[in-house]
Amino acid sequence: MSDSREKKKIVFSTGAGVSAESGLSTFRDAGGLWEQYPVMQVASAEGFAADPALVHKFYNARRRDLVSKEPNEAHRLIADLQRDFDVRVITQNVDDLHERAGSREVLHLHGELMKLRDVADPGYIETLSAPDLESSPDTLSRDGKGRHMRPHIVFFGEAVPNIEPAMELVEQADVFVVIGTSLNVYPAAGLLAYVRSGVPIYYIDPSPADVKGLRDVTVIRKKATEGMAELAAILRNNQ
Ligand code: APR
């Protein structure tokens, strides 16, 4: 017998902070990636045009790091909520930890680290797996058609094709949850504006960006794993 009630739609918008407890660096915290690397050289369209080999090397290093990491309890708690809710995850992260924790509906705004795509045809995408984790400007497609491949990452200065479906998801949310993002980067940071009025918003982050000006946001000033444990209890009590 199926449950006739529609499941509540919980939409998550996650940033690097949700993967911090898995051991992946964030970008703007002390010691973060943008302190270690020149962001415009390794993560912008201009940088890729100027020195594609450097950009491939940067993502090769991040990919090697990622395969040695595991999802953390926050990723798992989000996936577990799929038992009782219609859960959608929008993420700025390029890691695959949400998927590896069991989340089935994950929309990546800034691309996916484990994927390469044809420089000329963004619709042609290949997934990498260990031990073949490296790419270079000489990497050609596996289909034998000689396509030149690039990291399947949205560089600064490039469009964010998934932002429209993300906005639609946020407009359908019955609960909207932001986890581990400094809300520095648009259009991702602007998703908050698409939450229907009256829909509760939670923001889990140990040092959250200032959201006072925004509509009633419940800030859970905790790390993702602790904050998600607290939120899962709230959501199940208010089911
Ligand atoms: N749990 C939850 N949040 C955390 C944790 C943690 N354990 N540790 C750090 N944070 C929070 C920080 O307080 C900060 O608010 O995670 C956020 C990380 O912010 P950023 O480093 O700016 O990462 P993010 O917001 O995801 O960056 C957005 O910028 O460079 C681009 O494409 C890149 O997707 C990235 C985008």
Side-chain angles (χ1 to χ4, degrees), residues 31-209:
L33 277 174
W34 298 150
E35 271 185 22
Q36 303 165 46
Y37 294 90
V39 53
M40 296 318 279
Q41 284 180 32
V42 296
S44 77
E46 269 166 72
F48 184 62
D51 187 349
L54 177 69
V55 174
H56 278 278
K57 283 199 187 87
F58 173 64
Y59 288 100
N60 290 343
R62 289 183 67 190
R63 207 170 290 124
R64 278 195 302 276
D65 184 42
L66 174 57
V67 296
S68 70
K69 300 293 186 292
E70 293 298 326
N72 63 56
E73 189 58 12
H75 297 108
R76 278 194 290 278
L77 286 168
I78 291 168
D80 286 352
L81 287 172
Q82 293 173 127
R83 277 184 288 123
D84 302 311
F85 301 97
D86 175 1
V87 179
R88 309 299 173 94
V89 177
I90 300 164
T91 186
Q92 295 173 81
N93 300 342
V94 295
D95 65 56
D96 58 352
L97 297 179
H98 281 300
E99 291 91 338
R100 281 162 57 191
S103 284
R104 292 187 293 273
E105 302 282 345
V106 182
L107 186 65
H108 287 268
L109 294 179
H110 296 162
E112 297 181 63
L113 192 50
M114 297 307 288
K115 295 182 177 174
L116 300 178
R117 72 160 186 262
D118 180 342
V119 173
D121 166 13
Y124 181 81
I125 294 167
E126 292 180 352
T127 300
L128 294 169
S129 51
D132 304 321
L133 297 170
E134 314 269 318
S135 65
S136 81
D138 302 327
T139 299
L140 298 180
S141 54
R142 295 196 287 249
D143 65 355
K145 292 186 177 166
R147 305 163 185 265
H148 282 274
M149 303 300 279
R150 57 164 272 182
H152 183 44
I153 298 288
V154 176
F155 295 142
F156 280 107
E158 294 185 324
V160 179
N162 283 340
I163 195 64
E164 281 79 19
M167 290 190 289
E168 283 164 30
L169 275 181
V170 174
E171 286 170 341
Q172 297 160 18
D174 298 314
V175 181
F176 186 60
V177 186
V178 179
I179 308 179
T181 176
S182 60
L183 295 171
N184 260 303
V185 174
Y186 284 79
L191 287 173
L192 273 158
Y194 291 85
V195 179
R196 286 171 295 160
S197 63
V199 169
I201 302 173
Y202 296 90
Y203 179 20
I204 300 172
D205 194 307
S207 43

